[in-house]
Structure formats: structure tokens, C-alpha cells
């Protein structure tokens, strides 16, 4: 649509058994202002290949209000992309990724990452990644990063809060618990990132991995995280 839009995707059950599928839920905005709610869905993959469980792409130069909350992603002996994958290529946005459960469901499995956020826009953005559980089981799971925030472009209005998440079980294998990366996009980026009160378990490369390319500036508040 070229106008404003409102979309609710709530309380669906999506499963893929012994198949190769694309994304479980896939939303792309093209123009105008939008309010998108993806809430309370159950997405499961059993012995198969899936893309991302929830995939959102923001291409609009307008303002987006995106909420992804209360969803459950379960992967049993399967291959997933990211459980939640959010990418902004234009516009301004307020994003809430809150209270989702991403579970490897008791068997060895492969997932790319838990939550991936890409901010490739010079518009003002504020993101809340709060109270999510990634891989809440007792047996081994293989994941890349629990939470990955990738800031390709940005202004001093780029604000990210990563708080109160539980990442990894005692036998899970994670690359990094939380990774924050500011890439070299050819413009000088400024970001403000808060990483507070997260519980990060399992076998890790780093509990928190931060990389900042030349000419970029990041201010961080890091407090109350537990990697024991």
C-alpha cells in the first residue's frame, strides 16, 4: 500500500513437519506510516528446514510502530534461520520485541540466532528488546548469537534497550550472548545502547561482544548482567 496501514497477526499456530519452508510470518512495509502487531503466535519446526520464524522488513520512509510479543518459537531437531529477524532500510521506527520464548524443545537443533535487529536507516529509531527467553531447555542447542543488534546507519536518535532477557541454558552452545555491531556504512553513526539485567548462560564466545567501526560513536550503559 502507498498509504497508512495497521496490521495485527495474533494467536496463530504455524508448524512445518518434514518440509523445507520459507518464513513462518513475513511482513514487509513499502510506504506510509504503519502499526504492526505480531502477538501470541506459536511457530514450530520439526525435523525440517525453516527460514526465519518471524521476519519483518521496513522499507517505508514513514514511521513504523512494531510490536513482536508473546510469541513462542520451538525447534525440534530442525534447522531454523533466526527466530525473530527485524530489518529497517528506511524511515523512523519504535520497535518492541518483548516476552517471546525461543526454545530448542529438548533435542539437539541448529538455529542461526535468537533475535536479530538491523538498523540500516538514518531515521530516528528506538528499540526495546526486553524479557525474552532464548533456548529455555535442558539439552544441547546450537545457536549463533542470542541477540544481535546490527547498526549499519544511524543518527544520534538511534536508541536500543536490551534488558531483562534470559539467554541460553546450562548446556546450550552460543557464539555470543549479546552482540552489538556498528558497521562502516560511509557515514558517521551515533548510537546509544543500554544492556542491563540480562542473564546469559551456556558455553559462550563472549557474553557481550561490541564492535564499532571507524568514525562511529557509541555510548553504552552496561549494568546488572549475569554470565555465571
Amino acid at each position: 500500500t502507498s498509504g497508512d496501514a495497521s496490521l495485527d497477526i495474533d494467536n496463530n499456530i504455524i508448524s512445518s513437519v518434514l518440509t523445507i519452508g520459507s518464513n513462518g510470518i513475513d511482513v514487509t512495509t513499502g510506504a506510509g506510516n504503519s502499526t504492526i502487531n505480531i502477538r501470541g503466535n506459536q511457530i514450530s519446526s520439526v525435523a525440517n528446514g525453516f527460514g526465519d520464524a518471524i521476519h519483518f522488513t521496513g522499507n517505508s520512509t514513514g514511521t513504523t510502530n512494531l510490536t513482536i510479543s508473546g510469541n513462542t518459537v520451538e525447534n525440534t531437531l530442525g534447522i531454523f534461520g533466526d527466530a525473530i529477524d527485524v530489518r529497517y532500510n528506511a524511515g523512523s521506527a519504535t520497535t518492541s520485541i518483548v516476552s517471546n520464548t525461543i526454545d530448542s524443545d529438548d533435542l539437539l537443533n541448529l538455529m542461526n540466532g535468537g533475535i536479530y535487529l538491523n538498523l540500516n536507516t538514518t531515521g530516528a529509531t528506538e528499540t526495546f528488546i526486553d524479557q525474552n527467553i532464548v533456548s529455555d531447555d535442558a539439552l544441547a542447542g546450537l545457536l549463533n548469537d542470542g541477540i544481535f543488534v546490527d547498526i549499519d546507519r544511524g543518527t544520534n536518535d538511534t536508541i536500543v534497550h536490551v534488558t531483562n532477557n534470559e539467554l541460553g541454558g546450562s548446556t546450550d552452545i552460543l557464539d555470543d550472548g549479546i552482540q552489538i555491531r556498528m558497521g562502516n556504512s560511509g557515514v558517521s553513526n551515533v548510537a546509544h545502547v543500554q544492556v542491563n539485567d540480562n542473564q546469559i548462560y551456556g558455553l559462550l564466545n563472549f557474553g557481550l561482544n561490541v564492535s564499532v567501526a571507524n568514525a562511529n560513536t557509541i555510548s553504552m550503559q552496561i549494568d546488572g548482567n549475569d554470565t555465571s
Side-chain angles (χ1 to χ4, degrees), residues 7 9 25 27-29 34-39 54-58 63-69 71 84-88 92-98 116-117 126-128:
L7 175 65
I9 303 175
I25 296 174
V27 177
T28 299
T29 60
S34 59
T35 298
I36 311 293
N37 297 308
I38 303 172
R39 301 170 299 197
I54 298 173
H55 186 92
F56 173 84
T57 304
T63 299
T64 299
N65 291 289
L66 172 66
T67 298
I68 300 174
S69 68
N71 300 283
I84 298 173
D85 188 302
V86 175
R87 301 166 186 258
Y88 290 101
S92 300
T94 299
T95 305
S96 297
I97 303 173
V98 177
Y116 176 76
L117 170 68
E126 185 166 14
T127 304
F128 301 88

Side-chain angles (χ1 to χ4, degrees), residues 112-224:
N112 184 32
I115 297 170
Y116 176 76
L117 170 68
N118 179 235
L119 300 173
N120 187 27
T121 174
T122 56
T125 60
E126 185 166 14
T127 304
F128 301 88
I129 303 175
D130 183 60
Q131 298 183 55
N132 300 284
I133 299 174
V134 177
S135 196
D136 184 31
D137 66 359
L139 297 179
L142 298 171
L143 294 95
N144 189 1
D145 298 317
I147 296 172
F148 186 178
V149 178
D150 194 1
I151 304 171
D152 285 334
R153 292 186 293 163
T155 67
N156 56 6
D157 295 318
T158 299
I159 303 171
V160 180
H161 311 271
V162 182
T163 56
N164 299 295
N165 299 283
E166 183 178 326
L167 307 175
S170 60
T171 57
D172 285 332
I173 302 173
L174 297 171
D175 185 1
D176 299 316
I178 299 170
Q179 181 173 180
I180 310 294
R181 182 176 69 186
M182 294 186 69
N184 187 0
S185 63
V187 296
S188 180
N189 300 337
V190 180
H192 306 278
V193 179
Q194 178 188 57
V195 181
N196 287 352
D197 301 317
N198 299 283
Q199 297 179 335
I200 307 170
Y201 304 119
L203 303 176
L204 304 168
N205 185 14
F206 296 104
L208 173 62
N209 186 354
V210 180
S211 60
V212 182
N214 291 339
N216 292 328
T217 302
I218 189 170
S219 66
M220 297 196 68
Q221 181 189 57
I222 304 170
D223 184 62

Side-chain angles (χ1 to χ4, degrees), residues 13-27:
I13 298 175
I14 301 169
S15 62
S16 179
V17 181
L18 293 174
T19 62
I20 298 176
S22 54
N23 300 316
I25 296 174
D26 197 331
V27 177

